[in-house]
Amino acid sequence: MRRAGIHLFLVLPVMFLLGGCQVAGWLVNVFAPPQKVKAKYVPPKDKTMLVLVDGPLYLVYYEPLKYELTKELNRRIVEKHIARKTVPYESLQRLSATTSDYYELGIPQVGERVGADLVLYVLIGEFILKDEGETSPIWTPRLTASVKVVDVKKGLLWPADNPYGYSVEAVELPTTEDSSERYGEVASRQLAQQMAAKIARLFHDYEVGSPLFSDE
């Protein structure tokens, strides 16, 4: 309730700038009960989950994207009780560095070798920072991905009817003009964080609606 009270204190002055039906409509939107959204799929409980971010080399050559997306998904998976625990990104790095045939391993094999029961496989479909070449100061960040959940013993769990995975809604940032190459790091981190939120919400119930009752 404290969060709701703060929001109410900040937005009440808006009422005095509106009138009649506008105030009524605004109040309905603000105080309407949040809408509950059910998880698309609830993974088996009390399991260890590996987040495995993959894709064509020309799309995921940028290591910070893979790291940020994995780190943020790991945090949300534990926080939202999607899995009991997750495999650290560093464990996956060690496996790839010490296994000569790493890129020939299947998804279940990778998961099993790092001690996971389940693998949340994230396949990057599109990763764009700029549309007009490396020298352009115009950034148009966009990220798309598909996901699937694989049991290291039983194989594909979800989506059971689509081995290519579930397509997640694209994440896009506003077009920005910035001559600093460091903006790429900022944009990549924001893309990863927003995509992680969209992916995690596939596996837990959440609420949308009034900002007074937001769960994020």
Side-chain angles (χ1 to χ4, degrees), residues 77-97:
I77 286 168
V78 173
E79 182 180 276
K80 299 299 182 180
H81 307 291
I82 297 168
R84 179 170 56 88
K85 66 177 183 177
T86 58
V87 177
Y89 184 69
E90 292 74 18
S91 296
L92 193 61
Q93 286 183 308
R94 281 195 297 271
L95 178 66
S96 64

Side-chain angles (χ1 to χ4, degrees), residues 51-57 59-74 89 92-93 96 102-103 122 124 127 143 188-189 192:
V51 173
L52 179 57
V53 179
D54 198 4
L57 184 60
L59 287 178
V60 291
Y61 65 91
Y62 192 64
E63 191 68 21
L65 174 71
K66 296 171 66 176
Y67 171 74
E68 288 292 340
L69 185 52
T70 303
K71 182 184 73 172
E72 186 64 15
L73 270 170
N74 282 346
Y89 184 69
L92 193 61
Q93 286 183 308
S96 64
Y102 173 79
Y103 292 101
V122 181
I124 301 300
F127 173 46
L143 180 64
S188 295
R189 186 178 304 112

Side-chain angles (χ1 to χ4, degrees), residues 158-211:
W158 181 84
D161 59 347
N162 186 358
Y164 296 103
Y166 179 90
S167 295
V168 186
E169 182 183 357
V171 172
E172 296 179 327
L173 302 181
T175 299
T176 301
E177 182 173 357
D178 193 316
S179 58
S180 170
E181 287 302 315
R182 293 196 63 182
Y183 180 76
E185 298 177 19
V186 174
S188 295
R189 186 178 304 112
Q190 292 177 351
L191 287 174
Q193 291 173 347
Q194 292 184 30
M195 179 58 76
K198 288 180 179 291
I199 292 174
R201 282 183 164 187
L202 297 173
F203 308 111
H204 70 83
D205 299 344
Y206 64 97
E207 296 180 345
V208 296
S210 169

